[in-house]
Amino acid sequence: MANAIDRKIVDDLIKNEIGFITTVPCKQLAGVIEVLDQSNQVMHVPSNKEDEGMGLCAGAYMGGKRPCIIMQNTALGVVVNTLATLIQFYQIPLPMLISYRGEVGEKVACQVEMAVHTKALLNQLAIPTYHFSHADQVGELDGILKHTQMAKKPTAILTDARFWGSAQ
Amino acid sequence: MIRYDILKTLLPIISDTLVVCNIGLPSQELHKLDDQPSNFYMLGTMGLCSSIGLGLALSQPQKVVAIDGDGSVLTNLATLSTIANNVADNFVLLIIDNGSYGSTGDQPTYAGRKTSLTAVAEACGCENVVECSAEETAGAVKAALASDQMTVIVSKCESGNVAVDVIEMNPVVIGDRFMNEVRRQNSGG
Ligand SMILES: [Mg+2]
C-alpha cells in the first residue's frame, strides 16, 4: 500500500515535468509504482531490464518528455555501458530513483554484495549521487531533479531501508 | 541484396521520417547514403535501437522507423515484449536480419540458424509482424508507415558490408540536430 512519502515522490516528479518513467520493480519501490499507475500525468512503461529502460528514456527525451528511471541498485551491474555510451555521451538528463538494497536494515545477505559496490561504481562513473537514509531527506528530491535537468547528466538518488522504514 | 542495398531502396520512403539507426555499420552506411537531421545515429550501446525508437514513438506523434539488426535484437530480446505491450501506432521496427554480426566481422547469429525473430515477435504479442525478403523490404516499410499500425518487419537478407567511414559527428550534435527536427516536425514546420 502506498503512503504519504510515495505520493510526495511522485508529486515532485510531476512538479518537475517528468513525463516518462520506466521501472524495474523492487519491494521498497512498490508504493511509488502504485501511485505512478494512478496518475495520468506521467507515462509509465515498465521495462524488463534497466539498460532497455535507459534506451526507452533516451528516446522519450528526444521526443520531448523528461524521463526518469526507477530501479534497484543491483541494476548498476547491468547499466554501466549504457550510462557511459548513451546517457552520458549524448548528455541526457536522467534522474535514477534507486532502491538501495543491502544497506542497514536489509534482511537478504546477498543484497549486501552489490551494496558494497554501489557507491564505488557511481563514483567511478562520476555520477552525482545522493543517499537518503531518513524520510526527512525526501525534501531534497525537488532540488536534485532540477539539478539533473540543469546539468544534463544522470544522477542517482539512493533510498535505503532506513529511509523507507522511517517513512511508515 | 545486403543491408546497404536495402538502405538504398529505403531512402525515398524514410528520408524525411524520424529514423533511429543501429550502432556500427548500419548507422555509418545510412550516414554515407543520406545524412539527414531526421536520422539519429547510435555511436555505441549495442542492443538499444528498438528501445530508443519505442521511447521516441511513445513520446510524440510523428512516425518513427527504428532500423535495427538481428544481432542487436538478440542482445535485447525482451524489447519485443515491451513493444508488444506498449503499442505505438506511429512505430515501425525494421529488423534487418542478415544472420550475422555485420559490424564485427560477419560472425553468425542464432537468427541465421534455428531462431526465428518473426516467431519471437509474434510470441511476444506483437500484432503486425511481417517477414519479407530484401527485395520486398521497401514496400513493406511503405505499407507499414501508411497503415497507422505498429509493425515489426523482419527483412531476411544476405550478410555483407560495404566500406564506410566512422561517423565523426559529436554525439551531442547528433542529438541536438535530431531533437530540433523532432520539434520542427511536431510544430507542423
Ligand atoms: Mg546482423
Side-chain angles (χ1 to χ4, degrees):
Chain A
M1 273 293 285
N3 62 29
I5 202 151
D6 301 316
R7 281 185 281 277
K8 162 73 177 152
I9 289 170
V10 174
D11 282 350
D12 277 351
L13 293 170
I14 290 170
K15 193 172 79 181
N16 281 276
E17 297 171 44
I18 299 291
F20 184 95
I21 300 188
T22 190
T23 58
V24 178
C26 172
K27 197 161 54 179
Q28 292 186 150
L29 299 168
V32 171
I33 295 171
E34 184 187 319
V35 178
L36 266 186
D37 278 332
Q38 291 160 0
S39 166
N40 52 15
Q41 286 169 276
V42 53
M43 182 180 286
H44 175 210
V45 179
S47 47
N48 300 289
K49 220 170 180 186
E50 296 80 358
D51 56 343
E52 180 202 7
M54 288 186 184
L56 292 168
C57 286
Y61 177 66
M62 294 193 291
K65 286 196 192 301
R66 290 182 177 180
C68 171
I69 187 166
I70 295 180
M71 64 191 216
Q72 201 181 100
N73 60 317
T74 46
L76 287 168
V78 172
V79 295
V80 171
N81 177 56
T82 304
L83 282 166
T85 66
L86 183 64
I87 304 301
Q88 291 180 322
F89 201 40
Y90 288 89
Q91 294 184 10
I92 295 168
L94 183 64
M96 301 184 285
L97 179 65
I98 300 174
S99 170
Y100 192 4
R101 297 294 305 269
E103 261 290 324
V104 173
E106 176 64 54
K107 294 185 175 66
V108 180
C110 188
Q111 294 284 3
V112 183
E113 297 302 313
M114 272 307 284
V116 298
H117 299 300
T118 294
K119 286 185 177 176
L121 285 166
L122 290 165
N123 187 46
Q124 178 64 37
L125 287 163
I127 291 175
T129 298
Y130 309 92
H131 180 177
F132 291 0
S133 55
H134 191 279
D136 292 347
Q137 290 170 285
V138 78
E140 296 171 32
L141 180 60
D142 178 60
I144 294 167
L145 293 171
K146 288 177 169 59
H147 185 67
T148 305
Q149 297 303 320
M150 181 280 295
K152 294 190 168 65
K153 288 179 185 297
T155 57
I157 304 126
L158 299 169
T159 57
D160 68 17
R162 287 176 295 169
F163 171 78
W164 296 105
S166 62
Q168 300 301 314
Chain B
M1 284 174 88
I2 61 173
R3 179 186 54 245
Y4 190 76
D5 302 318
I6 294 176
L7 291 176
K8 273 197 274 189
T9 67
L10 285 174
L11 295 183
I13 298 152
I14 62 163
S15 193
D16 299 325
T17 306
L18 300 176
V19 171
V20 177
C21 195
N22 190 21
I23 175 180
L25 290 171
S27 271
Q28 292 163 20
E29 291 173 0
L30 182 64
H31 176 259
K32 177 192 166 97
L33 282 168
D34 186 37
D35 181 34
Q36 293 287 344
S38 53
N39 295 344
F40 179 74
Y41 306 115
M42 293 180 68
L43 300 175
T45 338
M46 177 70 165
L48 297 188
C49 177
S50 61
S51 304
I52 297 170
L54 178 65
L56 175 64
L58 287 169
S59 298
Q60 55 78 54
Q62 300 301 312
K63 294 192 177 175
V64 175
V65 177
I67 302 178
D68 213 340
D70 53 316
S72 168
V73 170
L74 284 167
T75 293
N76 182 18
L77 201 57
T79 185
L80 293 167
S81 71
T82 308
I83 290 167
N85 287 281
N86 296 277
V87 173
D89 282 326
N90 57 339
F91 185 48
V92 176
L93 172 60
L94 170 61
I95 305 171
I96 299 196
D97 182 358
N98 59 5
S100 70
Y101 293 103
S103 296
T104 55
D106 290 328
Q107 299 87 352
T109 67
Y110 288 130
R113 294 168 70 183
K114 287 185 182 175
T115 303
S116 162
L117 292 175
T118 307
V120 174
E122 285 168 347
C124 281
C126 294
E127 281 156 15
N128 306 293
V129 185
V130 178
E131 184 173 305
C132 66
S133 68
E135 290 74 11
E136 294 165 333
T137 303
V141 171
K142 192 174 183 181
L145 285 169
S147 74
D148 287 320
Q149 286 194 311
M150 186 171 75
T151 307
V152 177
I153 300 169
V154 180
S155 166
K156 303 292 280 186
C157 70
E158 289 171 63
S159 179
N161 312 295
V162 299
V164 283
D165 296 324
V166 297
I167 297 172
E168 291 181 353
M169 283 175 76
N170 184 303
V172 177
V173 172
I174 294 173
D176 194 56
R177 187 178 76 155
F178 185 72
M179 285 191 286
N180 283 333
E181 175 65 14
V182 171
R183 278 190 288 269
R184 189 191 67 79
Q185 289 196 12
N186 279 295
S187 66

